[in-house]
Amino acid sequence: MAVEPERLDAEILRDAILAISGCIDRTVGGSPVMYKTEASGMSRTDSTRRSLYLLVRRVYPLKFMEIFDAPIIAVNCPQRTMSTTVLQSLAQLNSGFLFEKAELLADRVAGAAGQDPAAQIRLAFELVFTREPRESELKESLLFLEEQTAIHVAAEIAGDQAARMALADLCHMLMTTNEFLYVE
Amino acid sequence: MNLQISRRQLLQSLGNGFGVLALAGVLEDAGLLASEVGSGKHLVGDDLAPRPGHFPGKAKAVIQLFQNGGPSQMDLLDNKPELSRHNGQPHPDPGVFETLNQSGNRNVLMGTAFQFAHYGQCGMELSELLPHIAGAADDLCLLRSMHTEHNNHPFAISMMQTGKTFAGRPAMGSWICYGLGSENWNLPGYVVLRDPAGYNTSGKTVWSNGWLPAVYQGTEFSSAGTPVLYMDPARPRSAQARARSQACLSVLNDAHLLGHPGESELEARVQLEATDALDLSSETEATRKLYGLDNPVTAGYGTRCLMARRLVEAGVRFVQVFPPVGQPWDHHAQLISALKTICDKTDHGSAALIRDLKLRGLLDKVIVMWTGEFGRLPITQGADGRDHNRNAFSLLMAGGGFKAGHIHGETDEFGYRSIKDRVSVPDLHATILHQLGIDHTRLSYVHGGRPERLTDPEVTGAGVVEELLV
């Protein structure tokens, strides 16, 4: 019997990204994390505390949570809904939250695995998926790092910085995959 | 063994591939998909695939021009000569006013300061404050006998949007997308166009999906700057770098058992579609002028009205347009000057939208709705304002099979209470759904064990108002 895949709940998704990038703040208790909604409609926070501690505002929910089906608090939620929307893809690909955490993850990976791209890729896969990359994935990832670094260099970004950006881009895409977003 | 499967289960079992939607349709036609709430399943799936309603509808889309704050009906749409005649005098029976002792209200009747005249071939009587809307009188269906349940903004706004005064239920736009899906895969089914300067009263709850899946929530498109949240990468990346990243993502997803084919392409297509749908540069000078884009007073709201037309043309099901930030129709003081200001900003765009839709032959298929959340009192608040009034308000409908050049209902001699052919908010919702081909008694979603409906007809007694329809 086929098992239905389940998307990570909004809070778990955010926490998992914080944890993988190594910046999660696991402090227990204390004041809730406040945040503001800008005129653009964007609400975000620089806090790395677990999502459990995010203040939930009825009128202005945190955008990232709202689009991943976090329940509204005005009514009880006996069962969460799970939908697939365009804004979810856009938030994964383009939000500052993902870019920032991908950079943190890239630095974490480079710090621990050293300069060997294959070692970096292996560690990144272990951190994001808790498994080794398959041979084909390793190959694609190596090719990506090489080509993406060249693309960044062509865009007049200095060599070191270009390689770091390419690794961050790979980490970003790993945290955007369906394998990361869904559990079986 | 129960072989009945939901559309959602089917899609998930096949990896959410869009290609299987046609198959889902075939199964549904064959009665193999659960499609009625009586079965304990949801009526339809959790997706935006277009699907037929319960019967052929006259309209396919709705544009709601939400004039939040409480437009003063006796100064705009419901002339009351008796009120003017009794200007400055007390109401003979002050007991009728349920909020007389609140907020500086005084039992002093206040006639309108504005001139009314008869417009169009239908002779619809409208205020001088709305010269452009008056020019479209022959396309309007004016309801003068609306009433609602609450005298304060958040509750009455919730009532108008969700059918109940308390927060947490899905907005009408969400219900409609749930029922019919959307005709454009590359855009959200429910788009919100608000003032880029900020939010109106009740913020994002106004377009909440409540407990419906988030795919039905209103998506804010900005009428200034980047149209869609998260559309541009937060870090600078060349187009080539973005394409290479997405190609890598695609390979990684393909390698995975749960690959969702085409998702990154979908994202790219949304960017293109959204940009194209909101790109007003392809509009003619005449059209831009029609919407008042050449005038700084009318340009902001006019831009949103023009974007609304482009979005329904592109297949978006429900577009919600907001006036300037805050609650610009809430005139507790200095009513005369404040009303003039907001009318100057919005009259032009609202009328242009109706005219433009008609010129393009779209008005038959698109319902335009101009409404606030309640009306105002015929008596004075403070020196020169009017307080909220749930007992009567007026609103305008146009297109989508609503009667044109038609006036429905009446209020009492002073405009305090709707007395003839009264229409409740759930009645209005039922009527709008009907025009879209949805039976409001049957469109339901199980929440907390109860099959919920927008109109909750057994409780509200909601019914389709046939008199409003062609």
Side-chain angles (χ1 to χ4, degrees):
Chain A
M1 183 189 157
V3 179
E4 276 191 39
E6 221 171 272
R7 201 193 62 227
L8 296 181
D9 287 339
E11 296 89 342
I12 298 171
L13 175 63
R14 180 176 168 275
D15 287 3
I17 293 168
L18 292 174
I20 290 165
S21 66
C23 72
I24 193 163
D25 175 354
R26 296 182 193 270
T27 309
V28 174
S31 305
V33 174
M34 311 294 281
Y35 51 86
K36 282 187 177 167
T37 297
E38 299 161 9
S40 68
M42 186 63 79
S43 51
R44 51 160 307 165
T45 171
D46 291 326
S47 171
T48 59
R49 295 205 63 192
R50 292 174 57 207
S51 303
L52 175 66
Y53 296 110
L54 291 174
L55 180 83
V56 181
R57 288 187 69 188
R58 181 169 50 83
V59 182
Y60 300 113
L62 190 66
K63 194 74 204 173
F64 192 81
M65 314 301 273
E66 181 190 12
I67 60 177
F68 281 99
D69 289 299
I72 52 170
I73 59 166
V75 285
N76 60 343
C77 177
Q79 188 176 10
R80 289 195 181 206
T81 55
M82 184 184 87
S83 61
T84 307
T85 72
V86 160
L87 269 190
Q88 290 167 1
S89 304
L90 287 172
Q92 285 181 292
L93 287 167
N94 294 332
S95 68
F97 178 66
L98 259 294
F99 271 105
E100 280 162 25
K101 302 315 172 230
E103 284 163 8
L104 286 177
L105 175 58
D107 289 348
R108 182 182 181 189
V109 162
Q115 294 306 303
D116 174 29
Q120 291 175 345
I121 291 163
R122 283 204 180 84
L123 181 56
F125 268 74
E126 277 171 25
L127 287 170
V128 177
F129 301 133
T130 64
R131 67 169 176 84
E132 284 264 303
R134 298 179 192 97
E135 199 51 45
S136 61
E137 291 169 331
L138 182 62
K139 212 172 125 195
E140 164 62 20
S141 302
L142 281 167
L143 182 67
F144 173 77
L145 287 182
E146 190 187 324
E147 292 184 4
Q148 190 76 335
T149 303
I151 288 169
H152 288 324
V153 168
E156 299 188 350
I157 291 159
D160 283 3
Q161 183 60 15
R164 180 175 177 257
M165 272 171 67
L167 183 57
D169 288 344
L170 178 66
C171 290
H172 187 163
M173 291 307 114
L174 292 179
M175 290 194 290
T176 304
T177 54
N178 290 322
E179 180 173 357
F180 178 66
L181 190 60
Y182 290 83
V183 288
E184 287 162 73
Chain B
M1 187 180 164
N2 185 3
L3 280 173
Q4 209 168 41
I5 47 175
S6 73
R7 178 191 288 264
R8 172 173 170 172
Q9 286 167 329
L10 179 74
L11 287 177
Q12 280 176 344
S13 69
L14 296 173
N16 277 358
F18 301 155
V20 302
L21 284 167
L23 173 61
V26 171
L27 289 174
E28 198 158 53
D29 290 346
L32 290 171
L33 274 179
S35 61
E36 279 294 337
V37 79
S39 67
K41 302 277 186 184
H42 296 153
L43 177 68
V44 284
D46 292 351
D47 57 73
L48 279 173
R51 43 223 174 211
H54 298 114
F55 45 84
K58 288 221 165 109
K60 66 181 181 64
V62 180
I63 299 174
Q64 184 194 57
L65 307 173
F66 191 42
Q67 313 299 320
N68 74 292
S72 178
Q73 71 275 19
M74 58 281 286
D75 294 299
L76 296 164
L77 302 166
D78 190 13
N79 190 27
K80 288 287 144 187
E82 278 303 300
L83 180 60
S84 299
R85 209 171 351 264
H86 290 80
N87 186 44
Q89 296 173 21
H91 189 287
D93 181 13
V96 299
F97 298 118
E98 57 188 354
T99 54
L100 184 59
N101 296 325
Q102 294 172 23
S103 320
N105 290 331
R106 301 183 296 144
N107 183 20
V108 178
L109 292 166
M110 182 167 76
T112 185
F114 301 100
Q115 297 298 315
F116 276 72
H118 296 272
Y119 293 91
Q121 291 186 347
C122 64
M124 188 178 285
E125 194 176 21
L126 298 165
S127 161
E128 61 180 326
L129 284 168
L130 302 169
H132 295 91
I133 285 179
D138 286 333
D139 294 314
L140 301 175
C141 180
L142 167 56
L143 280 74
R144 285 183 173 149
S145 54
M146 290 298 302
H147 61 98
T148 186
E149 291 183 6
H150 208 285
N151 269 322
N152 219 338
H153 300 289
F155 315 99
I157 288 173
S158 179
M159 181 81 200
M160 178 52 75
Q161 300 299 344
T162 75
K164 297 281 184 183
T165 54
F166 49 88
R169 291 174 64 90
M172 174 171 57
S174 297
W175 277 110
I176 290 170
C177 291
Y178 166 63
L180 299 177
S182 181
E183 303 211 332
N184 187 331
W185 268 106
N186 303 333
L187 288 169
Y190 179 0
V191 174
V192 176
L193 298 168
R194 62 171 172 84
D195 185 345
Y199 288 87
N200 298 70
T201 312
S202 295
K204 302 179 183 193
T205 58
V206 177
W207 51 87
S208 171
N209 50 299
W211 21 252
L212 288 177
V215 69
Y216 305 119
Q217 74 191 203
T219 298
E220 296 171 55
F221 277 15
S222 175
S223 51
T226 309
V228 184
L229 280 180
Y230 300 121
M231 194 150 113
D232 292 332
R235 291 278 193 277
R237 289 289 187 276
S238 65
Q240 209 185 351
R242 296 176 73 190
R244 186 65 187 85
S245 285
Q246 287 184 28
C248 176
L249 176 65
S250 176
V251 170
L252 293 171
N253 274 342
D254 286 350
H256 186 248
L257 185 66
L258 302 173
H260 290 198
E263 204 157 80
S264 58
E265 296 96 289
L266 174 70
E267 180 262 350
R269 281 187 288 132
V270 168
Q271 293 192 5
L272 288 174
E273 281 270 354
T275 312
D276 187 51
L278 299 178
D279 177 15
L280 304 185
S281 64
S282 58
E283 295 290 337
T284 64
E285 205 51 45
T287 301
R288 297 172 64 86
K289 206 170 157 59
L290 176 67
Y291 284 86
L293 303 195
D294 56 339
N295 177 346
V297 175
T298 52
Y301 179 80
T303 298
R304 298 195 283 285
C305 289
L306 176 50
M307 284 180 167
R309 188 214 84 211
R310 291 181 66 92
L311 288 165
V312 297
E313 274 180 321
V316 172
R317 189 70 72 186
F318 195 95
V319 184
Q320 197 165 29
V321 175
F322 283 86
V325 62
Q327 39 192 28
W329 292 92
D330 190 29
H331 301 137
H332 293 281
Q334 297 176 329
L335 174 116
I336 292 174
S337 60
L339 251 185
K340 188 157 181 351
T341 301
I342 186 60
C343 287
D344 285 348
K345 288 179 180 173
T346 57
D347 172 48
H348 201 131
S350 299
L353 176 64
I354 294 166
R355 184 166 305 185
D356 196 18
L357 287 170
K358 192 176 186 188
L359 280 172
R360 287 161 199 271
L362 292 168
L363 195 56
D364 292 342
K365 294 278 174 202
V366 179
I367 299 170
V368 180
M369 176 187 188
W370 183 104
T371 185
E373 68 269 37
F374 47 47
R376 303 202 84 84
L377 292 177
I379 51 171
T380 322
Q381 182 178 32
D384 52 5
R386 297 190 193 275
D387 200 6
H388 312 158
N389 180 13
R390 70 189 179 105
N391 296 300
F393 66 105
S394 299
L395 64 79
L396 297 166
M397 305 296 296
F402 279 81
K403 280 181 184 165
H406 180 75
I407 297 172
H408 180 87
E410 280 175 29
T411 52
D412 63 32
E413 57 186 341
F414 299 128
Y416 172 65
R417 191 186 295 278
S418 303
I419 53 168
K420 185 171 172 235
D421 297 331
R422 283 162 63 84
V423 178
S424 71
V425 173
D427 289 338
L428 182 71
H429 288 162
T431 310
I432 291 169
L433 293 191
H434 177 83
Q435 290 310 87
L436 291 161
I438 299 171
D439 178 346
H440 71 103
T441 66
R442 289 167 67 197
L443 182 72
S444 55
Y445 186 90
V446 177
H447 169 70
R450 183 179 192 246
E452 294 284 357
R453 284 160 293 185
L454 169 63
T455 58
D456 201 8
E458 277 80 26
V459 173
T460 64
V464 175
V465 187
E466 300 284 355
E467 296 82 359
L468 297 175
L469 306 174
V470 177

